[in-house]
């Protein structure tokens, strides 16, 4: 996967506590192609890798924009971006990667909460350009905390802003209770919002992106074997060890980041065997196909897996 250096070209606050960064190639070249829903990994330092959605115009390859919410109780990534990453600074990035791709549809219902507006923003422009029918319900703690509202104003009444301090929790009924056939629902935001949307929305119509891992109900952890097809090795994965840790412990280099099953960095092709999926990335259809797995959290439903490693 592409890993390269970009330079911070601009910093501006998109809302209270939300810092937008413009990133460019240091030599003025084009950045890699991406589509709405994509994110990149910022490699901020040893053990400090964070994923941020791209929220600019995919057609403009001269620059990328990301937006970072300052989280005082976070793990250090947002504090670093807000406090130490200034204009002119260079940072390594990896990607783009997309597990939240906008699929073709005649109609869309978009639901965003807080910083979850970032992957949705370029989707709106794409839906508009495609001539699709769409609407956005966007909630946040307060109007001042909701990023990019000025950009959203051009869409008129197709965008409904619902600050919690003015109107309470998002009213999902009018958006989700009656969904015409062929409509896709895209949702990104905090876990309570995603859980509420999942409860009301038919699974086949819904696409979500999570910042935190979803609670999983997998089989009881047990020991199994993993054959690494390209490396010609077979490893035993103990019940209390992840596939990722077992593979790395054997000296095999693999890409990984969150170790929680949310970012998709460690996605690995499955050549044989049945994965016990415990990630928050794959759709139900992708899980049923069993062609890939996130080796940081997922395990095996049987005695053996064969992976393309």
């Amino acid at each position: 996967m592409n890993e390269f250096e970009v330079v911070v070209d601009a910093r501006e606050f998109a809302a209270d506590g939300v810092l937008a960064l413009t990133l460019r190639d240091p030599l003025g070249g084009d950045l890699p192609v991406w589509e709405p829903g994509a994110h990149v990994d910022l490699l901020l330092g040893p053990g400090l890798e964070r994923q941020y959605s791209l929220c600019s115009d995919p057609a403009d390859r001269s620059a990328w924009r990301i937006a970072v919410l300052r989280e005082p109780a976070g793990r250090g990534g947002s504090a670093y971006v807000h406090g130490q990453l200034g204009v002119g600074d260079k940072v390594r990035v990896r990607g783009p990667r997309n597990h939240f791709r906008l699929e073709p549809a005649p109609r869309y219902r978009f639901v965003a909460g807080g910083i979850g507006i970032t992957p949705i923003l370029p989707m709106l422009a794409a839906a508009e350009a495609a001539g699709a029918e769409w609407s956005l319900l966007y909630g946040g703690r307060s109007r001042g905390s909701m990023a990019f509202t000025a950009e959203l104003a051009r869409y008129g009444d197709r965008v409904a802003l619902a600050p919690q301090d003015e109107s309470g929790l998002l009213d999902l009924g009018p958006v989700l209770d009656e969904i015409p056939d062929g409509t896709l629902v895209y949702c990104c935001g905090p876990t309570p919002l995603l859980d509420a949307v999942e409860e009301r929305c038919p699974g086949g119509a819904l696409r979500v992106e999570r910042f935190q891992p979803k609670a999983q109900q997998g089989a009881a952890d047990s020991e199994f074997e993993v054959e690494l097809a390209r490396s010609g090795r077979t490893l035993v994965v103990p019940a209390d060890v992840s596939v990722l840790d077992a593979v790395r412990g054997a000296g095999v280099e693999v890409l990984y980041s969150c170790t929680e099953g949310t970012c998709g960095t460690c996605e690995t092709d499955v050549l044989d065997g049945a994965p016990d999926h415990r990630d928050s990335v794959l759709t139900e259809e992708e899980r049923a196909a069993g062609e890939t797995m996130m080796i940081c959290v997922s395990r095996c439903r049987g005695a053996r897996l064969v992976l393309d490693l």
Side-chain angles (χ1 to χ4, degrees):
M1 180 171 295
N2 291 338
E3 182 178 317
F4 52 95
E5 197 170 61
V6 295
V7 64
V8 178
D9 186 64
R11 288 168 47 111
E12 63 176 342
F13 280 91
D16 296 341
V18 179
L19 179 64
L21 299 182
T22 300
L23 308 174
R24 297 186 187 274
D25 178 87
L27 300 178
D30 284 345
L31 294 172
V33 173
W34 62 281
E35 296 179 355
H39 69 262
V40 293
D41 303 337
L42 260 59
L43 312 183
L44 302 171
L48 197 60
E49 300 181 11
R50 296 293 183 268
Q51 293 74 44
Y52 299 107
S53 297
L54 295 172
C55 57
S56 45
D57 178 1
D60 180 6
R61 296 185 58 193
S62 69
W64 286 344
R65 182 178 63 178
I66 62 172
V68 181
L69 172 66
R70 178 65 184 264
E71 298 182 89
R75 296 177 296 162
S78 69
Y80 183 95
V81 172
H82 277 247
Q84 300 188 49
L85 205 56
V87 172
D89 288 344
K90 294 179 180 178
V91 61
R92 294 200 67 78
V93 298
R94 183 190 301 131
R97 181 184 304 108
N98 200 341
H99 288 283
F100 195 44
R101 197 176 307 277
L102 185 68
E103 301 171 23
R107 286 171 298 278
Y108 299 98
R109 299 292 179 265
F110 298 104
V111 181
I115 197 64
I117 190 60
T118 52
I120 300 294
L121 200 61
M123 292 184 179
L124 305 182
E128 181 82 354
E133 174 196 329
W134 65 268
S135 66
L136 166 66
L137 177 62
Y138 176 24
R141 297 187 311 277
S142 65
R143 196 171 293 270
S145 73
M146 297 168 65
F148 306 119
T149 53
E151 293 183 26
L152 293 170
R154 67 189 178 99
Y155 294 121
D157 61 5
R158 280 172 293 176
V159 173
L161 301 181
Q164 186 174 345
D165 62 351
E166 298 177 20
S167 54
L169 296 176
L170 289 182
D171 183 4
L172 299 174
V175 178
L176 300 179
D177 283 351
E178 295 184 8
I179 301 176
D181 290 343
T183 303
L184 292 182
V185 178
Y186 280 78
C187 181
C188 186
T191 297
L193 172 62
L194 298 182
D195 290 345
V197 170
E198 286 185 335
E199 287 180 5
R200 303 187 75 131
C201 186
L206 180 61
R207 308 288 185 269
V208 302
E209 183 168 62
R210 290 180 173 270
F211 302 136
Q212 301 293 332
K214 183 180 180 181
Q216 304 289 337
Q217 294 182 340
D221 292 349
S222 60
E223 183 179 282
F224 57 93
E225 287 187 348
V226 171
E227 179 184 338
L228 309 181
R230 281 188 281 147
S231 304
R233 304 183 61 177
T234 298
L235 311 176
V236 174
V237 181
D240 60 347
V241 175
S242 70
V243 177
L244 173 65
D245 285 344
V247 169
R248 294 184 65 237
V252 178
E253 291 296 322
V254 292
L255 290 177
Y256 69 97
S257 182
C258 73
T259 69
E260 296 179 329
T262 59
C263 74
T265 304
C266 69
E267 184 173 13
T268 301
D269 289 341
V270 178
L271 305 180
D272 194 24
D276 177 11
H277 294 292
R278 303 185 185 186
D279 64 275
S280 302
V281 176
L282 298 177
T283 66
E284 291 304 317
E285 292 80 5
E286 290 168 333
R287 289 181 173 217
E291 296 176 352
T292 68
M293 65 183 288
M294 307 302 157
I295 62 174
C296 66
V297 292
S298 297
R299 301 186 66 81
C300 179
R301 291 191 178 277
R304 185 179 179 86
L305 287 172
V306 181
L307 301 180
D308 186 23
L309 291 173

